[in-house]
Amino acid sequence: MRKFVMLAVALAALSARAEQKNVQLLTNMSDVQLQRTMNMIRASLGVHCDFCHVADEKDGWQFEKDDKKEKRTAREMIAMVLKLNKEQFGGKIEVSCWTCHRGSTHPVSLVPLPQAAPPFPTPKAERPAVPPLAEVVKKYTAVLGNVARLQKPRVLIGTRESSDGKPVPIQIEESVGRFHITVDTPNGRVEQVVNEKSGWSKDAQGVHEFPASGLENFREIASSLSLTLPSEIPADARVTGKELIRNYETVIVAFSAGDKTRHRLHFDTTTGLLLRRVIIRDTPIGALPQQTDFDHWRNVGGTMFPFLIVTSLVDPWVGSIRRYSDVSLDAKVDDAVFAKPK
């Protein structure tokens, strides 16, 4: 069973499930969106997927089955959350599985005792003084240096560490939204290519086309690894407050990106560099957070670039730690590397 679970985890990290069966409430979602939402539920309860879904050594994951009481209960809870958000909050996503469960299968209903006497009158939180948006963006632009080079082809060499904690060598060649990735795994070399329209992987067994869900997943992860450039911060963004991250004081810039998506950018108040980006996507039963931490910034020929990038999602198998040893910006990348092998 352990081998089966590990194989399923590995496959989940590469692409979303290609087929949806017996989905009754969370309809009109892509495979990747449904997978992320399921992982939000999993994270809220602090369990693995087999808590609700049937899985065995012989037939693998059988997501369509309703054999388990936990899955039937989960469907009732999903209906409750949908109803609450629609009728009590006017369709705004205010309640989620996490609201009550907080990482436990059984929500806590009792107030802990003893209770300390609260202060009176209740103190009002004071909003910290924050700089204007234009000042934050100007400082970020200046510290980045030659920003134009961040939009040119580049080659990144280093290691990638996934949820198993084992780093593997990786090389990324990127050019105008096209990617050629080479990873040396314990089982041999794997190449992945994604261009404007399609994608595939190549290993010892041959070339494998990415399904639509695989392409969606790849592009979402690639986007999570990229920097937010100054030009991508809209004029109506707001400086909303401050927060301490890794012992650095940061100022938070927040804006809506449309399609029920919100961005929060955390800039180091001293250096002006981007330390964290949180992207929040609303689903009918709660918000899905996606976090990227940027660290170990270095000057690469007049342009600052983070040599450590950590991505965190509700899918723990999809997040990664990338440590770069060599970064070439405005690099020469041969178009042939993006061509499909014959």
Side-chain angles (χ1 to χ4, degrees), residues 199-218:
W200 54 87
S201 65
K202 179 182 177 182
D203 55 25
Q205 282 69 49
V207 178
H208 316 279
E209 293 278 354
F210 283 170
S213 58
L215 279 174
E216 181 183 357
N217 192 55
F218 186 102

Side-chain angles (χ1 to χ4, degrees), residues 177-228:
R178 299 176 297 170
F179 301 87
H180 174 237
I181 300 176
T182 304
V183 183
D184 290 316
T185 75
N187 297 320
R189 174 163 290 189
V190 177
E191 293 184 65
Q192 293 180 322
V193 173
V194 166
N195 57 29
E196 298 87 346
K197 297 181 179 179
S198 60
W200 54 87
S201 65
K202 179 182 177 182
D203 55 25
Q205 282 69 49
V207 178
H208 316 279
E209 293 278 354
F210 283 170
S213 58
L215 279 174
E216 181 183 357
N217 192 55
F218 186 102
R219 290 191 173 113
E220 181 176 308
I221 299 304
S223 176
S224 73
L225 290 162
S226 65
L227 283 171
T228 298

Side-chain angles (χ1 to χ4, degrees), residues 89-342:
F89 298 100
K92 191 175 180 181
I93 311 302
E94 294 287 350
V95 175
S96 73
C97 307
W98 181 260
T99 304
C100 295
H101 282 274
R102 301 297 176 95
S104 172
T105 55
H106 299 286
V108 176
S109 59
L110 288 177
V111 175
L113 298 176
Q115 283 281 305
F120 180 84
T122 301
K124 295 182 179 180
E126 294 186 9
R127 186 172 182 269
V130 295
L133 175 67
E135 182 178 317
V136 177
V137 175
K138 182 179 179 181
K139 189 173 184 178
Y140 180 44
T141 304
V143 71
L144 282 178
N146 189 345
V147 179
R149 297 177 70 233
L150 293 171
Q151 299 173 291
K152 301 290 182 66
R154 59 189 174 212
V155 178
L156 311 172
I157 299 173
T159 61
R160 180 191 187 276
E161 182 180 316
S162 56
S163 59
D164 62 8
K166 299 176 181 178
V168 295
I170 186 172
Q171 176 174 302
I172 303 103
E173 295 171 284
E174 183 181 347
S175 177
V176 197
R178 299 176 297 170
F179 301 87
H180 174 237
I181 300 176
T182 304
V183 183
D184 290 316
T185 75
N187 297 320
R189 174 163 290 189
V190 177
E191 293 184 65
Q192 293 180 322
V193 173
V194 166
N195 57 29
E196 298 87 346
K197 297 181 179 179
S198 60
W200 54 87
S201 65
K202 179 182 177 182
D203 55 25
Q205 282 69 49
V207 178
H208 316 279
E209 293 278 354
F210 283 170
S213 58
L215 279 174
E216 181 183 357
N217 192 55
F218 186 102
R219 290 191 173 113
E220 181 176 308
I221 299 304
S223 176
S224 73
L225 290 162
S226 65
L227 283 171
T228 298
L229 300 180
S231 59
E232 296 171 332
I233 302 174
D236 61 352
R238 297 175 299 112
V239 183
T240 60
K242 292 183 177 180
E243 185 176 330
L244 200 64
I245 295 178
R246 305 193 298 274
N247 293 322
Y248 296 102
E249 183 186 63
T250 69
V251 62
I252 305 169
V253 172
F255 59 90
S256 173
D259 194 26
K260 299 181 180 180
T261 302
R262 290 160 284 150
H263 287 222
R264 293 177 185 168
L265 308 178
H266 296 254
F267 295 96
D268 188 323
T269 55
T270 301
T271 66
L273 289 168
L274 178 64
L275 296 189
R276 174 174 292 173
R277 177 182 60 227
V278 180
I279 298 177
I280 302 167
R281 293 182 175 89
D282 288 332
T283 77
I285 59 168
L288 296 180
Q290 175 181 292
Q291 179 175 297
T292 305
D293 287 293
F294 303 98
D295 206 348
H296 294 187
W297 287 83
R298 300 182 194 172
N299 190 317
V300 182
T303 304
M304 295 294 287
F305 193 86
F307 277 60
L308 174 62
I309 301 179
V310 181
T311 56
S312 306
L313 296 84
V314 288
D315 313 42
W317 309 285
V318 178
S320 69
I321 300 173
R322 292 197 178 186
R323 293 181 173 90
Y324 298 125
S325 56
D326 186 74
V327 172
S328 299
L329 302 178
D330 198 2
K332 291 183 179 180
V333 178
D334 189 347
D335 285 343
V337 301
F338 304 113
K340 186 176 181 180
K342 295 183 179 179

Side-chain angles (χ1 to χ4, degrees), residues 48-83:
H48 205 306
C49 309
D50 64 328
F51 183 76
C52 291
H53 294 288
V54 175
D56 59 47
E57 188 79 33
K58 179 182 177 182
D59 299 317
W61 292 102
Q62 300 158 64
F63 292 108
E64 73 280 5
K65 289 189 175 181
D66 291 341
D67 295 12
K68 290 193 172 183
K69 177 185 177 182
E70 289 83 359
K71 183 181 178 182
R72 299 192 295 273
T73 300
R75 190 174 279 138
E76 293 174 0
M77 295 298 99
I78 290 171
M80 178 189 71
V81 171
L82 290 170
K83 181 179 173 67

